Amino acid sequence: DAKTTQPPSMDCAEGRAANLPCNHSTISGNEYVYWYRQIHSQGPQYIIHGLKNNETNEMASLIITEDRKSSTLILPHATLRDTAVYYCIVRALYNTDKLIFGTGTRLQVFP
Amino acid sequence: DGGITQSPKYLFRKEGQNVTLSCEQNLNHDAMYWYRQDPGQGLRLIYYSQIVNDFQKGDIAEGYSVSREKKESFPLTVTSAQKNPTAFYLCASRASGVVSGTDTQYFGPGTRLTVL
């Protein structure tokens, strides 16, 4: 079972920031938060991951609360091509087990 | 151009036939994975391999077989024993290194298999 909870769907206007929340209240001290997205009929795409500090890369920013029980993925300027299902996953590094994808959040970016 | 390739993108087979899905990576990753995705559902692990000539069953290995003769290649065979083979199949490889602090799975574009 997924250890995360995400809203099933969200809308965002093109050019605006998309803020996708994720709850992971049972996260362990050695578990990281990973974000992937899946555009229709394509393989999941890695976005970003973090442990406790905020992270930023060319795709997005990840904000993790101080208690680490929730996080927010931020797409600063959403485009139509960002329309996808976004998955939040928690896992320990070097864990050989599978990635457990929950139901994710379907983000619809509209013009 | 580095990455993971899967071929073909769409595959059709008649019921009772075996079919092999290709997965190749030039990322020099040791570990590779096969997942299955059904409409509106998450990914389920079929098989994985952490090193050449070694592989382990995942959650739904029945009716599937794999081989790992080369680091770059991890083909999946869907046999006639698989009761519901129609699905979207995803291959992944994993970048992992204690020194670099990395541990991330990267996915190929997928193969959509339809059994007629």
Side-chain angles (χ1 to χ4, degrees):
Chain A
D1 292 332
K3 298 175 63 176
T4 63
T5 304
Q6 300 176 252
S9 64
M10 294 182 64
D11 291 337
C12 180
E14 191 176 19
R16 303 298 295 270
N19 299 301
L20 293 94
C22 179
N23 287 322
H24 31 80
S25 57
T26 61
I27 191 170
S28 301
N30 65 338
E31 288 183 319
Y32 283 65
V33 180
Y34 283 77
W35 283 83
Y36 284 79
R37 72 179 183 184
Q38 188 173 25
I39 296 170
H40 183 64
S41 293
Q42 297 183 23
Q45 178 187 22
Y46 165 77
I47 301 173
I48 199 168
H49 74 281
L51 181 63
K52 55 182 178 180
N53 297 320
N54 297 338
E55 303 287 345
T56 295
N57 62 20
E58 64 278 4
M59 289 184 66
S61 294
L62 174 60
I63 308 298
I64 303 174
T65 58
E66 193 169 343
D67 63 7
R68 302 211 321 122
K69 293 184 177 182
S70 65
S71 61
T72 300
L73 179 74
I74 302 173
L75 308 179
H77 305 287
T79 71
L80 298 178
R81 287 176 292 187
D82 292 322
T83 293
V85 179
Y86 287 76
Y87 297 97
C88 170
I89 299 166
V90 297
R91 67 187 296 265
L93 283 191
Y94 318 121
N95 184 333
T96 57
D97 287 345
K98 57 191 175 290
L99 290 179
I100 300 176
F101 285 73
T103 54
T105 296
R106 183 172 298 277
L107 175 68
Q108 179 69 55
V109 181
F110 57 91
Chain B
D1 190 22
I4 304 171
T5 57
Q6 292 185 244
S7 61
K9 187 170 178 63
Y10 298 96
L11 188 58
F12 299 88
R13 82 154 215 219
K14 292 183 178 179
E15 195 170 346
Q17 291 180 337
N18 292 355
V19 62
T20 298
L21 282 59
S22 168
C23 178
E24 304 279 333
Q25 53 98 2
N26 60 3
L27 301 169
N28 200 35
H29 292 168
D30 287 316
M32 297 185 73
Y33 301 76
W34 274 106
Y35 293 86
R36 167 183 172 142
Q37 187 175 34
D38 293 284
Q41 299 187 29
L43 280 65
R44 292 184 289 169
L45 183 66
I46 304 172
Y47 268 98
Y48 65 101
S49 168
Q50 297 183 53
I51 198 168
V52 173
N53 292 321
D54 185 57
F55 47 83
Q56 287 79 40
K57 293 181 178 180
D59 298 324
I60 56 166
E62 185 175 352
Y64 300 98
S65 65
V66 293
S67 63
R68 187 84 187 277
E69 298 177 1
K70 298 186 299 182
K71 188 175 186 178
E72 303 80 22
S73 179
F74 190 40
L76 173 75
T77 297
V78 184
T79 74
S80 57
Q82 168 51 233
K83 300 302 181 186
N84 297 296
T86 294
F88 189 44
Y89 290 88
L90 290 157
C91 178
S93 68
R94 178 164 158 247
S96 176
V98 175
V99 173
S100 60
T102 59
D103 188 6
T104 302
Q105 287 191 27
Y106 297 92
F107 288 82
T111 292
R112 189 167 298 280
L113 173 66
T114 301
V115 175
L116 305 172

